[in-house]
Amino acid sequence: MRATSSFEPAGSPIEKEPGAIASLQHSDGEIAIDWADGRRSRFAAIWLLDNRPDGRHGPEGQRLFDVADLPEEPRIADATLACDRIAVRFIEGPTATFAVDWLRAHALDEASRAERRPPRRLWDKSLAANLPTGRYADVAKGGRALAEWLREVRDCGFALLTGVPTEPGMVCRVIELFGYVRETNYGRLFDVVSVEKPTNLAYTGLALGNHTDNPYRDPVPQLQLLHCLEAADEGGESIVVDGFQAAERLRRDQPEAFALLTRHAVPFRYVEKGAVDIQTRAPLIELDDEGAVRAVRYNNRSTAPLDLPEATVVPYYRAYRSFGRLLHDADGLVGFKLAAGDLFIVDNQRVLHGRRGFGSGRRHLQGAYADKDGLLSKLRVLEGA
């Protein structure tokens, strides 16, 4: 790689801004930046050509061309640094000018890519000492209070909201603070209350094991909210558990079991005779392209007969039971009793919820679903304001 441009700001390395450039080099196929904080980032010529600012409608807008229109092997003639801009001139093509801050924000070195991954705070029973909680009166005003509450949902997968008016439909009003209601066959919202002839165990006073909701859907509702309108006199405490934390324990202690649960899909089904028959297949533990846990599905009530290769059935059940025990391990459980006006939200692809049984008094919750894209979008807008 030959150097065609070099820039050394005044002052010692300690005084340099992390995003400042110590040196810039280029070859035919890429540019390389040595940053003031010691990182080194390389940008391929085709990546730069694909992301040139004049190829978009606005700074972060939609591209004005298709990737198929790019040359097979674009080559760089030179790259020069002036103030906070880098101009990259292509041998057969345009000159593209990039803001240094933009390149730093999109750098492809390992450390920079890791910084852009969603933050994740794994937790266990110790979370009970400091539950992530917001006040509705503050959160409903938007701004900082709403951003802090949404950030807890993003990072922990769970948060409480107190002081929500005990009016029917308020659970949807809370969703509208950040996104849109995900309507299902249960309606725009649904009541979780004891009924005489329940079609779902949620509509009884029985305890409910820890579970994610609606694993039989594709896509699964990503967020679930439950708002307490009336609290039971005795019992009925809510329980949450971090499925990601349990999955990582399984990966650490039983890697073969972890691999089985990520490799094979489980059939899930929900039936209301003559009205509904929803089915899908998905792994209990889903990984992203880099091997990180991206989703957990666990709902014993809705699991159909496992459809697995014959030789896999017994070892799979061992792994399945090991994961189930971790998801019900007292060390991971956080319990709390909802009072009228309390609401909680869970990332339904991460946090399992359940409840202890109750036998006296009426317990009435209203629930609704939403998706994470709206929540994360609202949070980004608030954080960038």
Side-chain angles (χ1 to χ4, degrees), residues 134-136 160-167 170 174 226-231 338-344 364-365:
R135 294 178 62 249
Y136 176 77
L160 284 161
L161 192 61
T162 63
V164 182
T166 54
E167 302 169 11
M170 282 302 300
V174 171
L226 287 167
H227 177 213
C228 182
L229 300 180
E230 297 179 67
L338 295 173
D342 290 346
L343 173 150
F344 75 89
H364 183 189
L365 307 184

Side-chain angles (χ1 to χ4, degrees), residues 119-123 127 132 151-152 154-157 242 350:
R120 180 178 294 178
R121 195 161 76 240
L122 302 183
W123 47 268
L127 185 72
R151 198 175 297 119
E152 294 285 9
R154 180 196 67 186
D155 297 352
C156 286
D242 187 354
R350 171 180 175 178

Side-chain angles (χ1 to χ4, degrees), residues 16 87 95 253:
K16 298 173 184 174
T95 295
D253 298 337

Side-chain angles (χ1 to χ4, degrees), residues 296-314:
V296 167
R297 293 189 190 216
Y298 187 93
N299 190 317
N300 196 61
R301 290 174 288 139
S302 300
T303 304
L306 299 189
D307 182 7
L308 298 167
E310 293 174 346
T312 304
V313 171
V314 171

Side-chain angles (χ1 to χ4, degrees), residues 139-185:
V139 169
K141 294 176 184 177
R144 181 176 178 179
L146 176 58
E148 289 176 350
W149 191 67
L150 298 180
R151 198 175 297 119
E152 294 285 9
V153 181
R154 180 196 67 186
D155 297 352
C156 286
F158 160 72
L160 284 161
L161 192 61
T162 63
V164 182
T166 54
E167 302 169 11
M170 282 302 300
V171 66
C172 296
R173 295 278 296 277
V174 171
I175 291 174
E176 289 164 1
L177 295 175
F178 63 80
Y180 305 92
V181 175
R182 164 85 176 271
E183 190 163 353
T184 70
N185 59 294

Side-chain angles (χ1 to χ4, degrees), residues 56-73:
R56 289 180 178 271
H57 187 262
E60 296 289 348
Q62 296 176 323
R63 278 185 181 82
L64 301 173
F65 59 89
D66 192 273
V67 67
D69 299 329
L70 294 174
E72 189 70 25
E73 295 183 4

Side-chain angles (χ1 to χ4, degrees), residues 1-2 24-33 40-46 48 74-76 78-79 88 90:
M1 179 173 288
R2 65 180 184 275
L24 169 66
Q25 299 174 312
H26 86 272
S27 69
D28 288 352
E30 66 178 27
I31 67 171
I33 298 175
R40 181 176 176 84
S41 302
R42 298 161 53 199
F43 300 90
I46 193 165
L48 292 165
R75 294 179 298 160
I76 295 172
D78 61 47
V88 179
F90 294 90

